[in-house]
Amino acid sequence: MKIYITGELVEEADAKISVFDHGFLYGDGIFEGIRVYNKCVFKLEEHLERLEYSAKAIMFDMPWSRREISDAVCETCRANNIIDGYVRLCATRGRGTLGLNPKVCEDPQLIVIAGTIQLYPEDYYTEGLKIITVPTRRVNPAALPPMIKSLNYLNNILAKLEAINQGYMEALMLNDQGYVAECTGDNIYIVKGRDILTPPTSAGALKGITRDVTFAIAQEKGLDLTESELTRYDLWIADECFLTGTAAEIIPVTEIDGRKIGSGRPGILTQQLMSAFHEKLSLEGTIL
Ligand code: PMP
């Protein structure tokens, strides 16, 4: 596998960064997870825009233009003959000292890894996923805005560990006020009657690219998808539930905290959204 590091494509064994890089020492960096479908990079511009917003939020003046980053992503995919795959794009502030001060960092790094991903086994898409609320709360936006896609994912990792320790693959995270925020790597939605509801980003949800695509599909299909503060109770009594994310795509949830959701089978609207999503994938993207 060829890895892109700041202007160079190198073999995996030679893909190295400094141990003084603040991305490594402090998680002081940002990233994107991007899909490639049929030799097209899905929603590349949207991912690059979100990367720029993350950079702005952490006051990281990236020395690369959007075009340069876009070229790096495409070049890495081509070098690895990616047809359907998953790209991890990371940008770190670079080499600093052992102190926190990010202002002393130099030589920022841009890293692109182009491979594949399968987050959940195939039958979870037909049978549904079971999730559980965990004690770890989504980080308070006043401490660290969850909208920033930073290299520090410990908040999510703690939640994921709590779910795994209880025998579940995914965790439901509440915010510090007890409202539903999101899962550890996915946005969450419920269906109640004809309404599809998802927490607003102000509740601690990342502004997912797949979430934006889901909003677009709902609009095209004349479905009512709106943002709403949600409680665990709202989820327990929902007709349907599903998650969205770049790696997970759209996946049905059929059990939450031991309560069966709806009939306990993937819901009709969820399935409609899933098939519309898959149709969209083959039509859109930046051609490699
Ligand atoms: N929430 C979190 C915490 C995430 O890390 C992600 C990305 N894996 C998402 C939601 C979904 O965002 P996207 O659709 O852009 O992948």
Side-chain angles (χ1 to χ4, degrees):
M1 182 190 269
K2 291 250 193 301
I3 313 281
Y4 176 97
I5 300 197
T6 326
E8 267 185 279
L9 273 170
V10 296
E11 285 303 331
E12 196 177 322
D14 302 318
K16 292 172 184 159
I17 60 158
S18 165
V19 292
F20 290 97
D21 192 304
H22 276 209
F24 169 71
L25 284 178
Y26 297 114
D28 185 1
I30 51 182
F31 79 99
E32 285 295 317
I34 308 169
R35 279 274 193 171
V36 180
Y37 295 107
N38 196 22
K39 282 194 173 176
C40 291
V41 187
F42 190 60
K43 299 285 170 194
L44 180 56
E45 285 302 309
E46 287 80 353
H47 281 287
L48 297 180
E49 181 180 65
R50 187 170 65 184
L51 186 80
E52 287 166 7
Y53 290 159
S54 294
K56 190 157 194 185
I58 69 163
M59 291 189 252
F60 172 24
D61 197 6
M62 293 194 294
W64 317 284
S65 66
R66 187 183 292 194
R67 184 62 204 259
E68 281 171 302
I69 303 177
S70 167
D71 286 350
V73 168
C74 295
E75 196 189 330
T76 313
C77 288
R78 283 193 295 265
N80 290 287
N81 297 316
I82 300 290
I83 297 167
D84 292 297
Y86 177 83
V87 174
R88 176 56 53 92
L89 169 65
C90 300
T92 76
R93 226 186 283 264
R95 214 172 45 243
T97 64
L98 291 179
L100 267 186
N101 186 1
K103 302 271 185 197
V104 301
C105 290
E106 46 191 39
D107 205 14
Q109 298 291 308
L110 183 70
I111 296 158
V112 185
I113 308 167
T116 54
I117 197 163
Q118 165 128 40
L119 213 55
Y120 299 111
E122 210 43 62
D123 58 338
Y124 282 43
Y125 290 85
T126 49
E127 301 304 310
L129 181 67
K130 297 175 180 173
I131 63 173
I132 189 166
T133 309
V134 294
T136 293
R137 295 284 171 106
R138 195 76 181 94
V139 70
N140 183 324
L144 177 66
M147 287 75 92
I148 302 173
K149 219 166 152 49
S150 89
L151 287 180
N152 191 323
Y153 250 52
L154 269 184
N155 180 224
N156 313 57
I157 288 169
L158 290 182
K160 188 93 176 175
L161 275 174
E162 286 164 353
I164 292 169
N165 286 345
Q166 303 235 40
Y168 292 85
M169 282 186 86
E170 185 53 299
L172 172 66
M173 298 184 79
L174 308 178
N175 63 22
D176 60 338
Q177 293 170 324
Y179 289 103
V180 172
E182 59 180 344
C183 290
T184 65
D186 300 309
N187 291 114
I188 188 160
Y189 310 72
I190 58 166
V191 178
K192 191 71 186 161
R194 291 296 295 172
D195 291 327
I196 311 173
L197 305 168
T198 193
T201 53
S202 57
L206 184 80
K207 196 172 178 302
I209 305 291
T210 324
R211 185 180 185 270
D212 286 344
V213 174
T214 309
F215 269 94
I217 293 172
Q219 198 175 26
E220 283 159 26
K221 295 211 153 289
L223 299 171
D224 247 328
L225 169 53
T226 47
E227 293 186 335
S228 171
E229 271 190 340
L230 296 173
T231 63
R232 291 171 78 199
Y233 174 77
D234 295 325
L235 268 53
W236 296 339
I237 64 156
D239 301 327
E240 303 180 24
C241 179
F242 62 91
L243 312 182
T244 71
T246 296
E249 303 177 317
I250 301 182
I251 184 160
V253 173
T254 48
E255 189 194 291
I256 304 173
D257 300 333
R259 280 89 167 169
K260 207 189 266 185
I261 302 305
S263 65
R265 302 278 313 151
I268 302 284
L269 279 186
T270 305
Q271 291 181 57
Q272 275 180 23
L273 289 169
M274 286 170 75
S275 48
F277 180 73
H278 285 285
E279 275 166 33
K280 228 179 182 35
L281 302 181
S282 48
L283 301 174
E284 292 179 22
T286 305
I287 299 167
L288 284 174

